[in-house]
Amino acid sequence: MPTENLTFTSASGYELAAVLDVPEGPAVGWGVMSHGFTLGKDSHATARVCRELARRGVGMLRYDNLGLGGSGGDFADTSFSLKVQDTVLAAEKLRELGHQPELLVGHSLGGAAVLAAATEVRPHAVATIGAPFHPGHVTHNFEHLMSDIEAQGSAELRLGPRRLEITRAFIEDVEEHDLRGYIRDLDAALLVMHSPTDNTVGLDNAGKIFLEARHPKSFFSLDGADHLLTRRIHGTRAAAMIAAWADQYFSGAEQAARAAD
């Protein structure tokens, strides 16, 4: 699928690197995807889902959060609040490009972020993949560092060759967020996607999100997938389901179908 590299300004003031995955034919609709905690726009889950959505006629903007991938700034200055604000700004960037962001997709912590951002973006549809019910769930990734963070104000999280600083401010911010109000007030169709074999964010999180939400809402089980959607087939299946489900919520779906005929 064709891609366009671009940037937009974060609420922090730094430039964030982004990619626009563009359908080859008439676009059915457009959306924004928010990646997981430390993963980035080119992670398996985010890149594969967005590319497959583009192949199915849904253009997607994906981007690197502060201090990750090609984006500027320091990861130590990130927060869940900033992630939500930058999701809103990514949607605004899509509008500047002439495309209405009718779909928000989020993987893992990005799923929590799009649920919170939807209040401002006002999409027609929101899809979450392996999202936590409480954003503070992310702290399980660095439980072994909590005492150091509390004592010193920050600690270094090692992820292979990468070294990311986790601050006390990040923990305080992420733990104070409660998604229940955002989910209850969601003025968009909701698709909750989760794997029953997700050992990072348990399936019970999907159940809580689903029960809290109003209709229209749907659930899809990503059987056999791990949290990161490591196998290509699982990213493809997730995108196929999102595209089929969201089609009815895209204002341009019928026009695109007629043009394709």
Side-chain angles (χ1 to χ4, degrees), residues 197-219:
T197 52
D198 188 333
N199 294 321
T200 302
V201 179
L203 184 61
D204 61 307
N205 286 271
K208 291 175 181 177
I209 293 172
F210 188 83
L211 290 174
E212 202 71 47
R214 299 177 299 173
H215 285 289
K217 58 183 177 179
S218 303
F219 174 80

Side-chain angles (χ1 to χ4, degrees), residues 1-2 20-34 44-62 102-107 125-129 191 193 229 232 234-247 250:
M1 289 295 102
L20 190 68
D21 292 292
V22 183
E24 288 187 341
V28 174
W30 294 86
V32 170
M33 184 162 183
S34 179
H44 289 323
T46 300
R48 288 173 177 169
V49 167
C50 287
R51 288 169 183 158
E52 182 63 21
L53 280 169
R55 195 180 75 79
R56 294 172 180 269
V58 183
M60 294 295 295
L61 188 152
R62 51 189 162 99
E102 296 179 306
L103 171 67
L104 291 182
V105 181
H107 171 242
V126 176
T128 65
I129 305 172
L191 173 62
M193 312 182 77
L229 304 188
R232 184 179 299 276
H234 294 130
T236 301
R237 284 182 60 221
M241 186 61 196
I242 293 170
W245 164 80
D247 183 75
F250 289 130

Side-chain angles (χ1 to χ4, degrees), residues 84-85 88 92 95 116-123:
V84 174
Q85 292 169 28
V88 174
E92 290 183 5
R95 289 191 182 97
T119 301
E120 292 188 55
V121 178
R122 301 189 68 80

Side-chain angles (χ1 to χ4, degrees), residues 96-210:
E96 290 176 11
L97 296 172
H99 309 305
Q100 186 63 23
E102 296 179 306
L103 171 67
L104 291 182
V105 181
H107 171 242
S108 193
L109 188 62
V114 298
L115 288 169
T119 301
E120 292 188 55
V121 178
R122 301 189 68 80
H124 295 166
V126 176
T128 65
I129 305 172
F133 179 64
H134 192 296
H137 181 279
V138 72
T139 60
H140 85 280
N141 290 287
F142 44 84
E143 286 178 334
H144 59 294
L145 298 175
M146 293 296 278
S147 59
D148 289 342
I149 295 171
E150 182 60 32
Q152 304 168 19
S154 68
E156 185 179 77
L157 176 63
R158 299 184 180 185
L159 299 171
R162 293 191 297 165
R163 302 291 186 270
L164 299 174
E165 185 179 1
I166 308 297
T167 66
R168 186 189 298 124
F170 173 87
I171 294 171
E172 292 172 350
D173 177 79
V174 77
E175 289 187 338
E176 74 177 14
H177 277 83
D178 187 338
L179 292 182
R180 286 176 293 185
Y182 293 112
I183 298 170
R184 291 171 187 162
D185 296 338
L186 186 64
D187 188 22
L190 175 64
L191 173 62
V192 179
M193 312 182 77
H194 217 105
S195 169
T197 52
D198 188 333
N199 294 321
T200 302
V201 179
L203 184 61
D204 61 307
N205 286 271
K208 291 175 181 177
I209 293 172
F210 188 83

Side-chain angles (χ1 to χ4, degrees), residues 31-42:
V32 170
M33 184 162 183
S34 179
H35 64 71
F37 176 42
T38 62
L39 299 177
K41 69 181 185 314
D42 298 320

Side-chain angles (χ1 to χ4, degrees), residues 245-260:
W245 164 80
D247 183 75
Q248 63 188 311
Y249 303 112
F250 289 130
S251 56
E254 290 186 14
Q255 297 93 312
R258 285 196 296 268

